[in-house]
Amino acid sequence: MSTLLPDFAEMARALRAGKVSSRELTGDCLARIKRHDSTLNSFISVYPEQALAAADAADKAIASGSAGPLTGIPMAHKDIFCAEGTRTTVGSKMLDNFVAPYDSRVVSGLAAAGMVSVGKTNMDEFAMGSSNETSYFGPVKNPWDLQRSPGGSSGGSAAAVAAGLVPAATGTDTGGSIRQPAALTGLTGLKPTYGRVSRYGMVAFASSLDQAGTLTRSAADAALMLGAMAGFDERDSTCANVPVPDYSATLNDSLQGKTIGVPKEFFDDGLEAGCAQAVQDAIKQYQELGAVVKEVSLPNLAMSVPVYYIVAPAECSSNLSRFDGVRFGYRTESTGDLADMYTRTRSEAFGAEVKRRIMTGAYVLSAGYYDAYYLQAQKVRQLISDDLSHCFAEVDVIMGPTTPTPAFKLGEKMNDPVQMYLNDMYTIAANLAGLPAISIPCGFSQNLPVGLQLIGTQFAEGLLLNCAHQYQQATDWHLRTPVISGGAA
Ligand code: GLN
């Protein structure tokens, strides 16, 4: 029995019918990790004993008839979520030795739903990056082509799911870090509305943008996982007190008469031809499903990357000031006075991209530059948000590409931060406006997966999942899997 059953529903059926146990599914994941992860580098930590113990508990729940739809299904967490008693590194030397004293809401929610975590996945350092190359633990390989990046910052989660090492994984998305890697590895990647999922116990990068979500094969799987992650949590003051609908119940709603807005700015010169074709074909498919397509405009879209690269570094420079060698994480071995200890600790334990962001952030927040940069960026952020609101007065969903190109080569953009930042030109607007968005596989270009992005209004996750599911009922892009050189099991 392979974990590569097409979706959670089939796994749950097999588990309940006694055709497979959670211990077998989990053992199969652990074996695949052992076999392939020296090639992919998608995991930072793997916990076989804990995972098998959780699987046994799930098997008991199944036997006693108290199992839910996720009970016994293995998964992995991005190494940004605290899980009690285990290492949580955020892909950084700074937290290489940090053992979390408590569970994040995402970890406890999925554990309570019976999912079995097998370990923690690789990621860009502090979730800063678009290629998974800024990780202290080395780059992750894209299972579709080992020379290429799986995207970032949730690159480990994406590679692990795409390669079938686990059926699903969590991610976080501050400017595109779930959707972009989902697009580049042929997965379904959901970033919920800001505040839909509690940030409690999730290491902070840019607190007004960070949001947890899922990397799965299908929208149906994402619907089940989101249900277990979402909901009010008083430990996160920005968590929304909005009821959590049954996301699975609306997956089969008809798309007849739904309106899709296609922003003309998404189809600019930067969009690779094969990606443009796949996305256009997908939009046609939606017309066949009964949707009505309308051109819309996001006039300030071009400002989203510059605005993000002021707001996100500003927030990170503040958030990362807590890593000073005193309370937790790395501390320099060299001796000196307190100021010296702070400086050396931070110089030695943060990587180049994190330092670049902290310096940029401190600069744009400094007296004399605050008004010209930070305040101005916040104003333009509002304009981008207003552009999206204007579109949603006319349409139900916005659609376009997730990324300008398919997966790029490892090393290709590392020496040019601006080229790296431009990867996120289609994803950042949803974060700046706090809106939910999903990327689903919609074809191939240069034999590499292409992602279609759907953006919705606040708390429209149900509609996005419904649109994604209907497309996945009519197509099979989400079922295509890569063959990892060395032989996939
Ligand atoms: N690639 C973007 C960045 O480097 C987004 C990262 C993210 O969403 N965590 O900041």
Side-chain angles (χ1 to χ4, degrees):
M1 172 72 65
S2 161
T3 52
L4 287 175
L5 284 171
D7 57 24
F8 292 174
E10 283 210 26
M11 283 181 227
R13 266 196 293 277
L15 284 164
R16 254 162 248 208
K19 290 199 178 127
V20 68
S21 64
S22 175
R23 178 170 261 270
E24 285 168 319
L25 286 181
T26 305
D28 193 17
C29 287
L30 292 167
R32 288 179 61 79
I33 292 168
K34 207 169 203 176
R35 177 158 177 204
H36 294 296
D37 211 45
S38 52
T39 308
L40 296 171
N41 197 28
S42 64
F43 278 84
I44 291 175
S45 306
V46 182
Y47 302 114
E49 280 165 33
Q50 273 169 256
L52 292 170
D56 288 345
D59 283 328
K60 276 205 191 104
I62 294 163
S64 73
S66 62
L70 292 171
T71 305
I73 296 176
M75 52 86 59
H77 283 292
K78 184 176 183 178
D79 205 15
I80 196 169
F81 294 102
C82 287
E84 189 181 345
T86 60
R87 193 162 76 124
T88 299
T89 70
V90 208
S92 180
K93 180 176 178 181
M94 184 60 91
L95 291 181
D96 185 21
N97 63 2
F98 174 66
V99 175
Y102 58 84
D103 278 343
S104 58
R105 167 64 178 84
V106 165
V107 165
S108 63
L110 291 171
M115 287 199 101
V116 173
S117 169
V118 300
K120 307 292 281 298
T121 57
N122 202 345
M123 55 180 286
D124 279 300
E125 186 178 11
F126 279 93
M128 298 174 200
S130 306
S131 68
N132 220 118
E133 290 168 289
T134 72
S135 170
Y136 175 60
F137 301 92
V140 177
K141 312 266 172 66
N142 189 323
W144 289 93
D145 176 346
L146 299 175
Q147 309 289 315
R148 291 175 192 268
S149 163
S153 63
S154 313
S157 289
V161 179
L165 308 189
V166 278
T170 52
T172 59
D173 191 312
T174 302
S177 279
I178 290 175
R179 290 161 286 158
Q180 185 250 18
L184 303 192
T185 59
L187 296 178
T188 298
L190 172 68
K191 178 204 99 72
T193 307
Y194 181 76
R196 176 72 292 185
V197 176
S198 169
R199 291 182 294 112
Y200 178 75
M202 183 176 113
V203 179
F205 161 15
S207 303
S208 77
L209 301 160
D210 296 343
Q211 181 58 208
T214 55
L215 288 132
T216 56
R217 288 204 179 283
S218 69
D221 290 355
L224 286 169
M225 266 177 97
L226 180 63
M229 290 163 64
F232 181 61
D233 179 2
E234 62 186 10
R235 299 166 301 181
D236 169 6
S237 61
T238 60
C239 190
N241 197 350
V242 173
V244 180
D246 178 353
Y247 296 113
S248 303
T250 46
L251 289 174
N252 287 315
D253 287 0
S254 162
L255 300 188
Q256 203 63 45
K258 290 267 182 303
T259 46
I260 293 173
V262 180
K264 55 175 188 264
E265 293 81 3
F266 274 14
F267 294 86
D268 57 6
D269 293 345
L271 182 61
E272 187 257 2
C275 288
Q277 190 60 52
V279 169
Q280 297 289 12
D281 291 348
I283 292 170
K284 276 198 205 107
Q285 179 80 49
Y286 272 98
Q287 285 174 303
E288 280 165 35
L289 291 168
V292 179
V293 174
K294 244 179 144 170
E295 187 180 271
V296 292
S297 176
L298 296 171
N300 294 294
L301 185 80
M303 299 308 294
S304 58
V305 171
V307 165
Y308 174 88
Y309 280 98
I310 290 175
V311 173
E315 294 184 16
C316 103
S317 75
S318 165
N319 273 326
L320 271 58
S321 63
R322 73 191 66 168
F323 301 105
D324 56 8
V326 176
R327 285 161 297 171
F328 39 69
Y330 179 83
R331 180 185 291 178
T332 183
E333 303 211 322
S334 67
T335 50
D337 62 15
L338 185 62
D340 204 39
M341 192 278 283
Y342 289 156
T343 311
R344 281 174 200 256
T345 293
R346 291 167 67 80
S347 310
E348 290 165 22
F350 285 139
E353 183 61 26
V354 170
K355 286 178 184 159
R356 176 164 27 236
R357 306 266 181 125
I358 292 173
M359 286 191 283
T360 310
Y363 179 82
V364 300
L365 289 175
S366 59
Y369 295 104
Y370 182 93
D371 287 0
Y373 292 106
Y374 185 70
L375 200 63
Q376 189 66 13
Q378 291 290 25
K379 289 180 185 165
V380 182
R381 178 180 188 173
Q382 187 60 49
L383 293 178
I384 293 166
S385 186
D386 291 347
D387 285 352
L388 284 157
S389 301
H390 293 146
C391 290
F392 286 119
E394 291 178 46
V395 302
D396 297 308
V397 179
I398 290 175
M399 270 187 210
T402 307
T403 59
T405 66
F408 48 91
K409 290 229 162 85
L410 288 162
E412 192 179 314
K413 300 188 181 183
M414 267 311 263
N415 295 325
D416 188 346
V418 174
Q419 275 312 308
M420 190 67 94
Y421 297 169
L422 284 171
N423 261 296
D424 301 324
M425 57 198 286
Y426 305 130
T427 51
I428 282 174
N431 300 80
L432 292 172
L435 300 178
I438 192 169
S439 179
I440 55 175
C442 70
F444 288 83
S445 175
Q446 305 170 39
N447 295 319
L448 295 162
V450 176
L452 172 75
Q453 182 179 209
L454 288 67
I455 307 174
T457 55
Q458 248 100 17
F459 302 104
E461 287 83 3
L463 175 62
L464 294 184
L465 289 163
N466 166 217
C467 290
H469 181 70
Q470 289 306 303
Y471 180 79
Q472 292 180 342
Q473 295 298 101
T475 59
D476 69 353
W477 304 116
H478 64 296
L479 299 176
R480 312 281 180 100
T481 51
V483 175
I484 315 164
S485 2

